[in-house]
Amino acid sequence: MRLITHNMLKCHVKNCKEPDKQFPLQFKDVKLEQIEAERNDEFLVRMLPRLDWPALLKSTKELGIIIPEKVPANPADDDEFLQALHTAILEMHVKEGSMVCNGCGHEYKITKGIPNMLLAEHEI
């Protein structure tokens, strides 16, 4: 699972104790793998408004991935920023582990890079 995907996932447990803490999901016992991908600056710049930067920053810190604290004023012209963003959201893959909701503690397993976001019937 790429971090770009993680940045769009939240807990959907119906009776989550603290709904304001459903996002971002916290990583637990993860295995990371970096898989090279072709860099597309136009895609990166177009994705920036869709990313929750504070959540991405929090998640990358959890995983030991370094990205800038803030988005630069003109990211399209900042090669260093674009490379860091590309590496973080498109090349770093969570292969195994889980994501945990900070609101209710529900755990979503990640197996072979695929997050299982299905809920039991009593959680829907």
Side-chain angles (χ1 to χ4, degrees):
M1 177 186 69
R2 293 178 174 154
L3 293 187
I4 192 170
T5 303
H6 175 262
N7 194 257
M8 298 175 189
L9 297 176
K10 72 174 197 168
C11 182
H12 291 286
V13 172
K14 184 178 181 180
N15 295 321
C16 187
K17 296 172 189 166
E18 297 182 61
D20 58 322
K21 292 185 178 180
Q22 291 175 315
F23 177 83
L25 297 171
Q26 183 176 353
F27 285 114
K28 177 182 171 190
D29 301 326
V30 298
K31 178 185 174 195
L32 279 178
E33 182 178 344
Q34 185 169 353
I35 302 172
E36 282 191 40
E38 187 174 332
R39 187 171 127 182
N40 182 334
D41 292 354
E42 183 181 339
F43 173 78
L44 292 168
V45 171
R46 282 194 340 251
M47 279 306 297
L48 268 174
R50 294 173 175 89
L51 294 173
D52 184 312
W53 194 259
L56 181 62
L57 189 60
K58 179 180 179 182
S59 299
T60 54
K61 282 183 180 180
E62 273 180 34
L63 298 172
I65 301 167
I66 299 170
I67 62 171
E69 294 283 330
K70 295 182 181 180
V71 176
N74 195 356
D77 296 332
D78 191 329
D79 189 64
E80 189 176 322
F81 171 79
L82 290 174
Q83 184 57 49
L85 178 62
H86 167 75
T87 300
I89 69 170
L90 297 174
E91 290 189 341
M92 299 309 293
H93 293 252
V94 178
K95 297 305 241 178
E96 303 289 335
S98 60
M99 300 176 294
V100 180
C101 174
N102 291 315
C104 66
H106 185 82
E107 193 167 317
Y108 299 91
K109 297 281 185 200
I110 303 167
T111 306
K112 297 182 183 176
I114 301 170
N116 182 351
M117 301 301 291
L118 297 175
L119 299 173
E121 193 171 316
H122 69 280
E123 297 168 318
I124 300 174

